[in-house]
C-alpha cells in the first residue's frame, strides 16, 4: 500500500516518561539482567543487527485518513532494557574522552563494573554539553536518578518530523545577475554552514551541486561517514558533513531498523530531510522542468551558497520517527563540528505543563544557542487548534507556515457542460467523462471501482487516496473546508472541493436522468495577487500551553506546497515534487544564515528579534493575512507571531530585544521550577542561583508582551532594547491598546547616542472596561525614529476568577 500521504508527518509523539523529582513510570520489570552490548557510539554508529520490520509503515494516520473503524491497535512494544537519558549540565572537562570516562564512572557506580557500563551506554554527550544515554533496568535507572551529578533523567521517547516560488514571493530574486540586497551582500550565504537534523539526504540531487564553490571552511570539524549506499565521495564542497544516529530508536523498536526498509547511513529514504536541506540551502538549479512551472524557472534554497551538514536522526519507520537520544547526539556533534545555524524540523506532541518544558530538544538547543548557534524549529502541525504550538522555549526560533500566492485550480466539467472548480496537485492527462458516485460507505471502497468517488469529510474519516486508487477508482473528490493540499499517488486525481461547490455537483448527480458523469482536467497553476495568502490550516497556533506568557510562534514563512527535490523510486522517478507542509522552518533557517553573515556579532536572540519586529501583517501584495481553518479569520499573533518574514527589512531593524543565558535562566526558574543546583550545572557555574522571587516571567526580554492572567489591577512589565541603527537617534512610542484595556508606556521617548545604546522602558496594562474573564485581545507597541518602525504585539487576557475558563 502506498503511504505518500501518511508520510506528511503529523505532530504525534508516542509514549514517554519524564522523570525529575517524582517517580518514573516504568513499563518493564526490575528483575532484568545486564542489558545487551551496544557500542558507546561517540560518533556515528555502525550498522545494527539486521531483521525484518514488523510494523506497518502506514500505521500512523491523520484526521480524515482512516477507513471506517479500525481494530484496536496492539499494545505498544516495551523493550526489555529501555533507554534512559541522563543530563548532567555543562561539561566539566574540555577533553571529550575525559567527559565520557566520567559518564562510565557514574554508570559503574550502579552496574558494578566498567564492562557492564560499556555494554549499557549507547551515547556519551561530550561536546556541546554533558550527559549520556544508556539501556538500563528501571531499578538501575531509579538508582542513577539519585546520583549527585544527575540533573535530569528522562526515558527515551519518540518524536516525529514536522514537514522556487518562495523566494520570489518574499521579494527575493532567483538568479545571480539580478540578486541584490542581503542575498547579494552575503554572496548567497557563502561561508555559512547550516546543520540539518532530519531524515538524511539524497546527495545525487542537482540541488547539491558545488559548481563554483570555494574550499570548505577551515574551521569545519565534521565528516561524511561511509555506510550503506553512502560514501565520503557522495559529499562535496556543498554537502560537507553527513552522519547518522539510530541506537536510541533501535533500542525502542521491536525489531531493529534494517536495510530492507531504510538506508543504514546518511542517505535519505523517505525524502523529508532532502526537502528540508534543499529548502534551507539548495544550490541554484536552472531550467527546472515541472508541470505548471514557467519555462526557464530556477530553483534554489534560502542561502544557496551555504554549506550543508546533515545529521540523520530520523528514520522511515512507523510513518517517520526520531528518538530523543539520537537527536541529542546529533545536537552534540553539530555543536562540535562547527555549524553556524541548526534547522530542526522535529517535535513532539503538545503536552500539559511539565517541569522541564519540552525537554525533547530544548536542552541541547539551549547549549547550541548559548554558543551562538541559532536553532530554528517548527510551530508544529497541530493547527488550527488553539494552544497546539510546540517548541515554545524562548531560545528557539519557532516558525509558523503560510501559503504562497499560488493555487492549483482544477476544472471539473459536468455532462451538461457546466464547469466547477476544485483544487488538486493533479498534472496528469485529462480524465474523460467517467461515472461519478457519492458514497457514505467509507469501508467498502471496491464499489468505486472504475468510477470517480466523492466523499464528504463531515460524515467522518474518509479513505485515503492511495486506498481509493488501489481499489480500482479512477479518481476521488474530497468535500471539506478548504485545507492544505495533500500528496496523491502519481497520475491519480484527488480533487478538493468546498461544500458550496460540491453541493452543485451533488445536485447534478441527484437530478440528472442518466448516469452522472464528469470530466477532470489537470490543474492550471495560478500565481499572483489574485490568490490570497494565509496561515496554513495545519500550522499550530498559540498561546503556549506550557508557558502562555511567552508568545509563540515567533514568525511565519511560506511552508505549504513548496516545490522541492524528492527521493526517486522505481515507480516514480520524478526529481521534484510539491512538499505538503513543514517547509517554513528551513525557509527561515536559510534567512538566519544570511543575517548571521551580515551581522556576525548579533546573538541568536537579536536575530530572532530583528525578524519578528520587521515582519509584516500582510502578504507581499498588501492583503491582510488570514488564518486557515473551518472558518477563515484574520490572523493574529497566535497564528504568525510577529508576522510574515521580511528578510530585507530584518537587516536593519533599528532596535532589537536581546537576550542571553541570564534571561533563559529566568525562564527556567520561573516556568520549569529549576533549582539553584540545576542552574549551576546548566551554566557550568557561570550562574549559581535562580533570580530573586520578585523576578517575573513577564519581564523576559522577548519581542512581545503577553499577559495571560490580568486580574484587574495594573500589571507592569519591563523590556530593554538595544540600538543597532543610527548612533544618535530618538524613538517615540506608539500604542494600539487591546480593545477595552488601558496601556501606558514609560518613558514615551528613548534617546540613544555614543554613550547609550541600550534603553529600558516599562509597559503598564490594566483591565479597563473588562469585568469578566475574557479571551485574549490583541494590540501593539511600536517604537519609531521616523525611519525605523519596531512593533511588538501585545496580547492580554483577564482572569478575575482563577481556573475558570468558560
Amino acid at each position: 500500500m502506498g503511504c505518500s500521504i501518511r508520510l506528511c508527518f503529523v505532530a504525534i509523539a508516542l509514549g514517554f516518561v519524564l522523570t525529575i523529582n517524582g517517580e518514573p513510570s516504568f513499563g518493564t520489570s526490575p528483575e532484568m539482567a545486564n542489558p545487551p552490548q551496544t557500542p558507546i557510539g561517540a560518533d556515528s554508529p555502525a550498522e545494527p543487527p539486521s531483521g525484518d520490520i514488523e510494523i506497518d509503515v502506514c500505521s500512523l494516520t491523520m484526521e480524515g485518513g482512516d477507513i471506517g473503524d479500525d481494530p484496536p491497535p496492539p499494545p505498544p512494544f516495551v523493550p526489555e532494557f529501555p533507554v534512559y537519558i541522563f543530563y548532567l549540565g555543562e561539561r566539566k572537562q574540555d577533553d571529550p574522552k575525559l567527559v565520557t570516562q566520567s559518564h562510565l564512572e557514574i554508570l559503574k557506580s550502579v552496574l558494578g563494573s566498567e564492562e557492564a557500563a560499556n555494554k549499557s551506554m549507547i551515547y556519551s554527550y561530550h561536546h556541546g554539553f554533558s550527559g549520556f544515554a544508556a539501556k538500563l533496568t528501571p531499578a538501575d535507572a531509579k538508582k542513577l536518578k539519585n546520583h549527585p551529578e544527575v540533573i535530569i533523567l528522562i526515558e527515551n521517547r519518540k518524536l516525529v518530523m514536522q514537514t522556487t516560488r518562495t523566494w520570489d514571493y518574499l521579494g527575493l530574486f532567483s538568479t545571480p545577475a539580478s540578486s541584490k540586497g542581503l542575498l547579494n551582500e552575503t554572496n548567497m550565504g557563502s561561508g555559512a554552514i547550516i546543520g540539518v537534523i532530519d531524515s538524511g539526504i539524497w546527495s545525487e540531487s542537482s540541488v547539491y551541486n558545488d559548481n563554483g564553490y570555494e574550499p570548505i571552511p577551515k574551521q569545519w570539524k565534521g565528516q561524511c561517514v561511509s555506510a550503506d549506499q553512502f560514501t565520503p565521495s557522495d559529499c562535496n564542497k556543498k554537502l560537507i558533513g553527513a552522519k547518522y544516529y539510530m541506537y536510541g530508536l533501535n533500542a525502542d523498536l521491536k525489531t531493529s531498523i534494517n536495510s530492507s526498509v531504510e538506508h543504514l547511513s546518511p542517505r535519505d529514504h523517505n525524502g523529508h530531510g532532502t526537502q528540508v536541506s534543499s529548502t534551507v540551502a539548495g544550490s541554484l538549479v536552472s531550467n527546472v522542468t515541472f508541470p505548471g512551472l514557467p519555462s526557464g524557472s530556477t530553483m534554489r534554497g534560502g542561502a544557496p551558497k551555504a554549506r550543508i551538514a546533515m545529521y540523520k536522526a530520523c528514520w522511515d519507520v512507523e510513518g517517520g520517527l526520531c528518538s530523543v537520544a539520537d537527536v541529542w547526539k546529533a545536537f552534540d556533534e553539530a555543536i562540535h563540528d562547527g555549524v553556524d545555524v541548526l534547522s530542526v524540523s522535529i517535535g513532539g506532541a503538545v503536552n500539559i505543563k511539565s517541569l522541564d518544558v519540552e525537554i525533547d530538544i530544548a536542552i541541547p538547543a539551549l547549549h547550541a544557542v548559548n554558543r551562538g548557534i541559532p536553532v530554528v524549529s517548527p510551530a508544529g502541525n497541530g493547527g488550527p487548534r488553539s494552544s497546539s504550538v510546540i517548541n515554545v522555549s524562548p531560545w528557539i526560533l519557532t516558525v509558523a507556515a503560510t501559503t504562497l500566492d499560488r493555487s492549483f485550480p482544477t476544472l471539473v466539467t459536468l455532462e451538461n457542460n457546466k464547469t466547477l472548480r476544485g483544487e488538486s496537485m493533479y498534472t496528469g492527462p485529462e480524465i474523460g467523462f467517467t461515472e461519478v458516485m457519492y458514497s457514505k460507505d467509507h469501508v467498502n471502497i471496491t464499489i468505486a471501482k472504475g468510477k470517480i468517488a466523492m466523499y464528504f469529510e463531515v460524515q467522518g474519516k474518509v479513505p485515503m487516496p492511495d486506498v481509493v486508487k488501489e481499489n480500482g477508482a479512477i479518481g476521488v473528490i474530497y468535500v471539506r473546508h478548504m485545507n492544505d493540499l495533500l500528496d496523491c499517488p502519481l497520475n491519480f486525481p484527488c480533487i478538493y472541493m468546498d461544500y458550496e461547490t460540491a453541493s452543485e455537483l451533488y445536485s447534478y448527480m441527484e437530478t440528472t436522468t442518466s448516469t452522472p458523469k464528469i470530466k477532470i482536467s489537470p490543474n492550471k497553476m495560478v500565481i499572483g495577487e489574485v490568490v490570497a495568502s494565509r496561515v496554513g490550516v495545519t500550522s499550530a497556533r498559540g498561546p503556549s500551553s506550557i508557558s502562555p506568557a511567552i508568545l509563540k510562534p515567533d514568525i511565519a514563512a511560506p511552508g505549504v506546497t513548496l516545490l522541492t527535490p524528492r527521493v526517486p523510486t522505481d515507480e516514480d522517478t520524478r526529481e521534484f515534487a510539491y512538499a505538503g507542509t513543514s517547509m517554513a522552518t528551513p525557509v527561515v533557517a536559510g534567512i538566519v544564515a544570511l543575517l548571521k553573515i551580515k551581522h556576525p556579532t548579533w546573538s541568536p536572540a537579536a536575530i530572532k528579534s530583528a525578524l519578528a519586529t520587521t515582519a509584516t501583517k500582510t502578504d507581499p501584495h498588501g492583503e491582510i493575512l488570514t488564518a486557515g481553518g473551518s472558518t477563515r479569520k484574520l490572523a493574529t499573533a497566535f497564528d504568525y507571531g510577529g508576522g510574515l518574514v521580511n528578510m530585507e527589512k530584518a537587516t536593519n531593524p533599528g532596535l532589537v530585544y536581546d537576550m542571553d543565558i541570564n534571561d533563559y535562566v529566568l525562564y527556567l526558574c520561573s516556568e520549569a521550577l529549576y533549582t539553584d543546583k540545576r542552574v549551576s550545572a546548566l551554566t557550568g557555574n557561570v550562574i549559581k542561583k535562580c533570580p530573586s522571587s520578585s523576578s517575573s516571567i513577564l519581564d523576559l526580554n522577548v519581542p512581545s508582551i503577553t499577559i495571560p492572567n490580568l486580574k484587574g489591577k495594573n500589571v507592569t512589565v519591563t523590556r530593554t532594547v538595544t540600538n543597532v541603527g543610527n548612533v544618535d537617534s530618538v524613538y517615540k512610542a506608539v500604542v494600539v491598546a487591546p480593545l477595552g484595556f488601558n496601556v501606558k508606556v514609560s518613558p514615551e521617548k528613548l534617546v540613544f547616542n555614543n554613550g547609550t545604546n541600550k534603553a529600558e522602558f516599562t509597559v503598564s496594562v490594566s483591565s479597563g472596561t473588562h469585568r469578566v474573564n475574557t479571551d485574549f485581545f490583541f494590540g501593539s507597541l511600536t517604537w519609531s525614529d521616523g525611519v525605523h518602525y519596531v512593533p511588538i504585539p501585545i496580547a492580554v487576557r483577564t482572569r478575575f476568577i482563577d481556573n475558570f475558563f468558560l
Side-chain angles (χ1 to χ4, degrees):
M1 181 188 299
C3 304
S4 58
I5 295 184
R6 294 187 176 107
L7 292 179
C8 291
F9 303 100
V10 283
I12 301 174
L14 307 178
F16 73 100
V17 175
L18 174 63
T19 305
I20 302 168
N21 298 321
E23 295 296 321
S25 173
F26 297 125
T28 54
S29 157
E31 292 80 24
M32 304 295 181
N34 287 333
Q37 182 171 0
T38 306
I40 289 178
D43 297 298
S44 296
E47 184 171 323
S50 62
D52 293 329
I53 292 292
E54 298 179 5
I55 300 169
D56 179 10
V57 174
C58 297
S59 60
L60 284 183
T61 60
M62 58 190 300
E63 186 175 351
D66 287 342
I67 308 172
D69 295 324
D70 293 331
F77 170 69
V78 179
E80 290 187 12
F81 299 93
V83 173
Y84 299 96
I85 302 167
F86 300 84
Y87 173 65
L88 310 181
E90 188 56 80
R91 297 184 307 166
K92 294 181 179 178
Q93 300 99 351
D94 291 331
D95 187 343
K97 293 181 180 179
L98 293 178
V99 178
T100 297
Q101 187 58 42
S102 71
H103 299 161
L104 289 170
E105 291 296 324
I106 294 173
L107 274 171
K108 181 180 174 182
S109 70
V110 169
L111 299 181
S113 70
E114 188 157 339
E115 179 184 5
N118 272 293
K119 288 180 179 179
S120 171
M121 185 181 290
I122 65 171
Y123 289 126
S124 170
Y125 309 120
H126 52 218
H127 292 302
F129 50 94
S130 180
F132 59 90
K135 292 192 283 188
L136 295 165
T137 67
D140 287 337
K142 186 175 180 179
K143 292 177 185 176
L144 275 177
K145 178 175 77 76
N146 297 318
H147 192 282
E149 291 193 47
V150 173
I151 306 304
I152 296 171
L153 161 64
I154 61 171
E155 187 173 350
N156 191 34
R157 74 174 238 175
K158 299 181 180 114
L159 308 174
V160 294
M161 293 166 280
Q162 306 285 328
T163 175
T164 52
R165 172 67 183 163
T166 307
W167 306 107
D168 290 330
Y169 173 80
L170 292 177
L172 308 179
F173 295 85
S174 297
T175 60
S178 62
S179 294
K180 56 185 177 182
L182 181 60
L183 193 66
N184 186 54
E185 292 167 3
T186 59
N187 192 20
M188 298 191 178
S190 178
I193 301 171
I194 303 176
V196 179
I197 301 177
D198 215 283
S199 69
I201 195 163
W202 191 263
S203 57
E204 287 78 11
S205 174
S206 57
V207 299
Y208 305 117
N209 76 78
D210 63 352
N211 299 332
Y213 275 62
E214 297 177 356
I216 295 172
K218 292 182 179 179
Q219 75 270 21
W220 177 242
K221 300 177 185 176
Q223 60 177 319
C224 292
V225 301
S226 182
D228 179 20
Q229 299 187 47
F230 196 93
T231 68
S233 63
D234 288 303
C235 291
N236 54 18
K237 289 183 287 186
K238 176 68 174 182
L239 175 60
I240 63 173
K243 300 179 181 180
Y244 68 107
Y245 313 90
M246 63 194 308
Y247 288 146
L249 184 58
N250 255 345
D252 285 340
L253 293 176
K254 188 174 182 180
T255 305
S256 296
I257 304 168
N258 66 85
S259 58
S260 69
V261 296
E262 248 284 12
H263 303 298
L264 307 182
S265 70
R267 182 168 294 283
D268 196 0
H269 190 270
N270 66 43
H272 193 268
T274 298
Q275 293 172 341
V276 168
S277 57
S278 65
T279 302
V280 71
S283 297
L284 288 155
V285 180
S286 302
N287 299 315
V288 174
T289 301
F290 192 81
L293 283 185
S295 60
S297 293
T298 299
M299 173 183 284
R300 67 169 180 84
K305 287 191 176 180
R307 318 304 173 106
I308 296 171
M310 173 58 68
Y311 299 87
K312 181 177 178 178
C314 302
W315 298 84
D316 199 1
V317 293
E318 297 186 42
L321 292 179
C322 334
S323 86
V324 175
D326 298 330
V327 169
W328 279 37
K329 189 58 185 173
F331 266 100
D332 184 45
E333 294 200 352
I335 292 170
H336 164 267
D337 292 345
V339 302
D340 297 303
V341 178
L342 274 167
S343 180
V344 188
S345 293
I346 295 171
V350 179
N351 299 309
I352 60 173
K353 189 177 181 119
S354 65
L355 292 180
D356 267 278
V357 190
E358 290 197 310
I359 202 169
D360 303 331
I361 71 168
I363 286 180
L366 177 56
H367 285 278
V369 167
N370 203 32
R371 287 166 171 77
I373 304 169
V375 177
V376 188
S377 289
N381 292 340
R385 288 182 297 109
S386 175
S387 298
S388 55
V389 64
I390 62 174
N391 296 319
V392 299
S393 298
W395 49 86
I396 295 174
L397 178 46
T398 308
V399 186
T402 70
T403 62
L404 294 165
D405 56 344
R406 175 171 61 194
S407 68
F408 302 88
T410 303
L411 298 183
V412 174
T413 305
L414 315 183
E415 276 199 306
N416 60 12
N417 288 325
K418 186 168 186 176
T419 299
L420 306 177
R421 287 180 182 268
E423 270 208 64
S424 78
M425 307 298 292
Y426 179 63
T427 57
E430 180 179 271
I431 306 296
F433 282 103
T434 303
E435 182 179 350
V436 58
M437 58 162 288
Y438 159 67
S439 177
K440 293 182 181 179
D441 189 344
H442 297 173
V443 178
N444 183 14
I445 315 302
T446 57
I447 61 175
K449 185 175 182 179
K451 305 173 185 176
I452 297 169
M454 182 168 74
Y455 298 100
F456 281 73
E457 286 193 3
V458 72
Q459 295 171 337
K461 296 180 178 180
V462 297
M464 299 293 278
D466 50 358
V467 177
V468 179
K469 180 183 179 183
E470 288 179 3
N471 280 275
I474 304 300
V476 61
I477 297 173
Y478 294 116
V479 183
R480 63 180 186 176
H481 298 292
M482 291 312 294
N483 204 329
D484 305 331
L485 301 183
L486 303 176
D487 293 337
C488 287
L490 181 64
N491 290 334
F492 182 73
C494 310
I495 314 300
Y496 299 92
M497 280 188 178
D498 60 27
Y499 289 96
E500 182 178 347
T501 305
S503 293
E504 294 189 55
L505 174 56
Y506 181 75
S507 176
Y508 157 72
M509 294 167 62
E510 288 291 298
T511 57
T512 184
T513 57
S514 58
T515 301
K517 295 181 180 181
I518 60 173
K519 179 174 66 175
I520 297 176
S521 302
N523 72 44
K524 299 289 186 182
M525 185 167 60
V526 175
I527 295 175
E529 56 188 291
V530 296
V531 181
S533 300
R534 56 180 168 80
V535 177
V537 173
T538 59
S539 183
R541 312 296 163 85
S544 164
S545 61
I546 293 174
S547 49
I550 307 301
L551 181 72
K552 288 288 178 171
D554 296 302
I555 195 75
V560 180
T561 59
L562 307 189
L563 189 63
T564 63
R566 61 180 300 277
V567 174
T569 63
D570 292 339
E571 297 79 21
D572 188 352
T573 59
R574 293 176 299 165
E575 183 178 6
F576 303 106
Y578 286 107
T581 57
S582 307
M583 294 301 117
T585 294
V587 167
V588 171
I591 295 172
V592 168
L594 300 181
L595 287 173
K596 195 169 182 186
I597 293 175
K598 175 73 173 178
H599 299 288
T601 63
W602 282 10
S603 69
I607 291 174
K608 180 168 74 170
S609 173
L611 288 168
T613 61
T614 58
T616 68
K617 311 303 184 291
T618 65
D619 69 14
H621 305 295
E623 289 293 327
I624 295 176
L625 288 170
T626 60
S630 58
T631 302
R632 192 170 297 188
K633 66 179 184 68
L634 293 181
T636 71
F638 287 159
D639 300 311
Y640 55 36
L644 179 64
V645 64
N646 186 325
M647 188 179 87
E648 295 301 334
K649 284 190 175 181
T651 63
N652 184 21
L655 304 175
V656 296
Y657 294 77
D658 207 356
M659 292 189 289
D660 60 20
I661 189 63
N662 292 285
D663 298 271
Y664 304 140
V665 165
L666 168 60
Y667 174 80
L668 290 170
C669 292
S670 299
E671 297 295 277
L673 306 183
Y674 263 46
T675 61
D676 291 346
K677 176 185 175 182
R678 285 190 178 185
V679 167
S680 179
L682 173 77
T683 64
N685 289 323
V686 173
I687 302 173
K688 297 185 178 181
K689 292 189 175 184
C690 283
S692 67
S693 57
S694 62
S695 299
S696 169
I697 188 65
L698 297 177
D699 293 329
L700 194 70
N701 206 44
V702 292
S704 60
I705 295 172
T706 307
I707 303 174
N709 297 299
L710 184 63
K711 297 183 183 300
K713 61 183 179 181
N714 277 2
V715 169
T716 299
V717 303
T718 302
R719 293 290 185 273
T720 301
V721 288
T722 302
N723 182 23
V724 294
N726 299 326
V727 173
D728 296 308
S729 55
V730 177
Y731 283 81
K732 296 180 180 179
V734 178
V735 174
V736 177
L739 183 65
F741 291 87
N742 297 324
V743 178
K744 180 176 176 58
V745 180
S746 179
E748 296 180 348
K749 182 188 297 184
L750 303 178
V751 179
F752 299 95
N753 50 46
N754 276 323
T756 304
N757 75 329
K758 291 180 182 292
E760 183 179 284
F761 63 91
T762 62
V763 179
S764 297
V765 182
S766 64
S767 58
T769 61
H770 296 288
R771 295 293 181 269
V772 298
N773 283 12
T774 70
D775 202 345
F776 278 97
F777 285 80
F778 297 89
S780 65
L781 163 63
T782 302
W783 291 103
S784 176
D785 63 352
V787 177
H788 303 93
Y789 294 86
V790 191
I792 61 172
I794 300 174
V796 187
R797 178 179 65 185
T798 61
R799 279 295 175 262
F800 291 93
I801 304 176
D802 289 333
N803 303 317
F804 184 80
F805 299 100
L806 298 179

